[in-house]
Amino acid sequence: MERIFIEKTESTPLVDFDFEKGVFLLKGESYPENVSSFYGEIFEKLEVFVRESEDRDISVEIELIYFNSSSVKAIMNFLDMMEELANNGNKVTINWLYEADDETIMEFGEEFSEDLESVEFHLKEI
Amino acid sequence: MEIDDLCKLKRLSSDNGVIFFYQGYFSQKILLGLGDALKAKMTRDDVESTKSKKLFSIFVEQVQNIIRYSTDKIEVDRDLQKEMSSGIMLVGKEEERFFTVCGNIIETKDVARISENLEEIRNLEKDELKKLYKEKIRSESDEHSKGAGIGFIEIARKSSAPFDYGFKDGDDCESFFFLKAYV
């Protein structure tokens, strides 16, 4: 599958999904005007990848410094897909990065991780 | 509007600690522009990073609430289905706390529903807000939904005191809705 690479803007994150390597990166801020038009197409491709992958190492790095409430749903959908990948026999590692003084982002990481069982989830201070 | 009226408006804003306000049609670009102004002010005033992030977050939820739910909209591009929504957004400081107010026109028939929803949210404790937030996100039908209600919970979670809200100038069809949050 072709790599997805989208440069970050003021209100949308850098998205770098390298399907061949199994490395996914989300970095920046997320408060787009329309969450589904930004994430919709990206997630459609990801769904195909989830269906087709087994026995792979998947490494995910999420470094979001701010996201609005509508983006939370999108992030959760993304994490659900990672959980599904892990349940399908892939080894999925997620690093959730947060700035040292940023309790909000750290707490979000904690809350998201409560719903993940098969994924290896690390909270990391940067 | 006469110059004298403008002076009165300016004085009224300054006397009430208003940092800026914008009234008119909103777009994502205007959100980004106002957001820059807000960030610049926070940096200049050396506002603690946690507080400044909470304020920015509430500000974004409020502006996006206007963009999504104001019933006073104009079409700017039919092909792209682009619209702009009318409302008012104000940020200020009273003593040591910041306040943000958003306001927009809604349909009067929605007043009871919105008011019930807000009354529930404003009285919840931190843990209860977290629980409700998770429930709402999980139960939301699909990604096409615009996120009804979650924005208000987000505002409550980031606030340092319960928000105030109200409905003014209502008639059978339309009412003016406002919400004031504190950080």
Side-chain angles (χ1 to χ4, degrees):
Chain A
M1 275 176 85
E2 209 173 310
R3 179 175 182 175
I4 300 176
F5 184 85
I6 304 167
E7 285 282 5
K8 76 167 181 173
T9 69
E10 205 171 345
S11 59
T12 56
L14 165 85
V15 179
D16 187 359
F17 289 0
D18 190 331
F19 296 104
E20 219 160 279
K21 287 187 185 152
V23 176
F24 302 145
L25 176 66
L26 276 174
K27 186 175 177 167
E29 302 193 42
S30 179
Y31 54 111
E33 181 168 21
N34 186 328
V35 169
S36 20
S37 61
F38 181 74
Y39 289 102
E41 208 176 312
I42 301 169
F43 286 179
E44 272 171 33
K45 287 183 183 156
L46 196 59
E47 272 167 25
V48 175
F49 177 81
V50 171
R51 275 200 302 275
E52 291 173 349
S53 302
E54 53 182 334
D55 224 8
R56 295 196 51 169
D57 282 348
I58 314 288
S59 160
V60 183
E61 196 164 285
I62 303 175
E63 188 183 338
L64 293 171
I65 51 172
Y66 168 66
F67 41 86
N68 67 349
S69 63
S70 331
S71 298
V72 172
K73 179 77 182 171
I75 297 166
M76 205 157 73
N77 287 343
F78 173 77
L79 294 173
D80 284 348
M81 282 190 260
M82 294 305 106
E83 178 76 3
E84 198 184 331
L85 267 174
N87 286 331
N88 293 349
N90 300 284
K91 185 179 181 301
V92 183
T93 311
I94 300 178
N95 286 318
W96 179 274
L97 308 176
Y98 64 94
E99 286 174 9
D101 62 343
D102 200 333
E103 278 174 37
T104 308
I105 298 294
M106 187 201 72
E107 279 171 21
F108 264 113
E110 279 176 357
E111 285 175 37
F112 285 131
S113 69
E114 286 166 14
D115 297 327
L116 302 170
E117 287 173 359
S118 309
V119 164
E120 204 181 300
F121 192 94
H122 304 287
L123 277 169
K124 284 190 179 171
E125 194 180 296
I126 44 170
Chain B
M1 187 183 245
E2 302 294 329
I3 296 292
D4 279 351
D5 294 327
L6 193 66
C7 290
K8 270 185 227 160
L9 188 64
K10 189 183 175 300
R11 203 175 313 124
L12 188 65
S13 323
S14 310
D15 291 350
N16 286 283
V18 172
I19 295 166
F20 67 74
F21 71 90
Y22 174 85
Q23 181 178 16
Y25 287 95
F26 282 83
S27 65
Q28 179 77 3
K29 274 188 189 157
I30 289 168
L31 163 65
L32 297 179
L34 293 174
D36 278 346
L38 182 60
K39 282 177 178 168
K41 173 74 180 162
M42 297 298 107
T43 308
R44 211 195 70 174
D45 288 3
D46 276 332
V47 178
E48 182 215 344
S49 143
T50 311
K51 194 171 187 171
S52 152
K53 281 176 181 170
K54 283 180 177 168
L55 185 68
F56 183 72
S57 170
I58 292 173
F59 165 81
V60 170
E61 297 299 332
Q62 286 185 312
V63 174
Q64 291 188 328
N65 190 71
I66 296 170
I67 293 176
R68 281 164 198 160
Y69 298 114
S70 171
T71 53
D72 179 5
K73 288 182 199 291
I74 46 163
E75 193 176 62
V76 285
D77 189 325
R78 180 165 293 178
D79 296 336
L80 292 170
Q81 292 185 311
K82 275 254 176 210
E83 290 175 331
M84 287 176 93
S85 311
S86 174
I88 181 163
M89 185 70 217
L90 183 152
V91 179
K93 195 176 182 186
E94 44 192 25
E95 284 158 20
E96 278 316 292
R97 70 177 179 179
F98 289 94
F99 61 92
T100 60
V101 190
C102 62
N104 58 267
I105 302 285
I106 58 164
E107 286 186 53
T108 299
K109 68 175 174 55
D110 293 330
V111 168
R113 179 180 55 82
I114 296 170
S115 153
E116 195 182 322
N117 189 8
L118 290 175
E119 201 50 39
E120 184 198 351
I121 294 169
R122 87 183 287 278
N123 291 311
L124 292 178
E125 299 291 336
K126 204 170 179 281
D127 286 355
E128 295 170 317
L129 281 169
K130 176 180 162 181
K131 193 165 160 270
L132 184 66
Y133 193 84
K134 280 195 119 175
E135 274 172 25
K136 289 259 182 181
I137 286 171
R138 280 286 171 202
S139 67
E140 223 180 86
S141 51
D142 61 89
E143 57 214 42
H144 298 296
S145 164
K146 283 174 164 183
I150 294 177
F152 293 139
I153 308 175
E154 181 77 31
I155 291 169
R157 292 185 74 179
K158 298 278 161 67
S159 297
S160 59
F163 54 67
D164 293 317
Y165 67 94
F167 305 90
K168 295 270 181 197
D169 301 333
D171 61 22
D172 289 350
C173 300
E174 293 183 326
S175 298
F176 183 77
F177 160 69
F178 70 89
L179 186 141
K180 183 176 182 186
Y182 307 88
V183 175

